[in-house]
Amino acid sequence: MILSIVVVLIGAYVLYFKFKEYKSLSETYSELLSNKKYEMFNDKKQVYILYSLLSFFGAISVALGYQTNELSTALMGGLVILMSISEFITAKFKHVYYYNDTNFIIEGKTIRYKSIKNINQGKKFPFSSASITTLSNESYSVSKKFAKFLLEKKKNR
């Protein structure tokens, strides 16, 4: 019973902060996108597939847990589903990138192509990500496709 309460509290906590993050990013992006003209680089399909698969396996875990009377298995499956849903909420802002000729927007911040210090392509795994480091040593995680796109943009500058 205590495990059930803990899982529900963790799920509610995560969902609350994801909704809060969504609201904050939504306001930031609407403000940033209203000032200049940006094109969109949509790369959330792969992420949606991954979290859909995780939700599916979470649902199977919940069903098996209830069928075999294993409460912990069902609760962990439910937690996987909640975590996947929480990532779906912010995928619109974390895996869709906006760019123009001089800069791009990531995590609600405008970054000039000139300020990119390093682009690390990451591992060769299918769902791994790349990272961008700016001249001010801020690091951002991006998809590999967008990292390749940024390399091309940086070369053309």
Side-chain angles (χ1 to χ4, degrees):
M1 184 64 178
I2 292 175
L3 183 61
S4 302
I5 293 170
V6 169
V7 168
V8 168
L9 289 175
I10 290 172
Y13 177 81
V14 169
L15 285 174
Y16 169 75
F17 280 103
K18 284 296 180 175
F19 276 116
K20 191 175 175 182
E21 181 181 11
Y22 176 85
K23 185 179 178 191
S24 172
L25 286 172
S26 180
E27 291 169 358
T28 303
Y29 272 81
S30 65
E31 183 179 314
L32 288 172
L33 295 174
S34 67
N35 295 338
K36 292 184 179 179
K37 189 168 185 164
Y38 285 94
E39 294 182 52
M40 182 173 70
F41 187 96
N42 189 345
D43 199 24
K44 62 184 177 184
K45 181 180 177 183
Q46 183 178 3
V47 173
Y48 279 179
I49 290 170
L50 174 66
Y51 290 119
S52 295
L53 286 172
L54 284 173
S55 294
F56 175 74
F57 289 123
I60 289 174
S61 178
V62 169
L64 289 175
Y66 279 121
Q67 189 178 35
T68 61
N69 258 354
E70 288 287 329
L71 182 62
S72 61
T73 303
L75 288 172
M76 294 312 282
L79 193 57
V80 167
I81 292 170
L82 286 173
M83 295 296 191
S84 298
I85 290 170
S86 71
E87 290 301 320
F88 267 114
I89 293 169
T90 57
K92 175 183 175 182
F93 299 112
K94 292 188 175 185
H95 301 284
V96 175
Y97 310 100
Y98 296 93
Y99 66 95
N100 61 22
D101 291 336
T102 58
N103 55 44
F104 63 98
I105 299 173
I106 185 168
E107 295 181 19
K109 296 178 183 172
T110 303
I111 299 175
R112 299 181 68 77
Y113 297 119
K114 293 177 185 179
S115 68
I116 296 174
K117 179 166 79 173
N118 184 28
I119 299 176
N120 182 356
Q121 288 292 339
K123 306 286 183 204
K124 301 272 184 200
F125 298 114
F127 291 108
S128 65
S129 61
S131 65
I132 298 170
T133 306
T134 63
L135 293 173
S136 59
N137 285 326
E138 293 176 327
S139 185
Y140 300 95
S141 179
V142 297
S143 70
K144 288 182 181 180
K145 286 182 187 177
F146 191 64
K148 287 178 187 174
F149 176 80
L150 288 176
L151 280 172
E152 288 298 317
K153 280 287 203 183
K154 193 169 176 172
K155 282 181 190 176
N156 295 336
R157 301 231 29 87

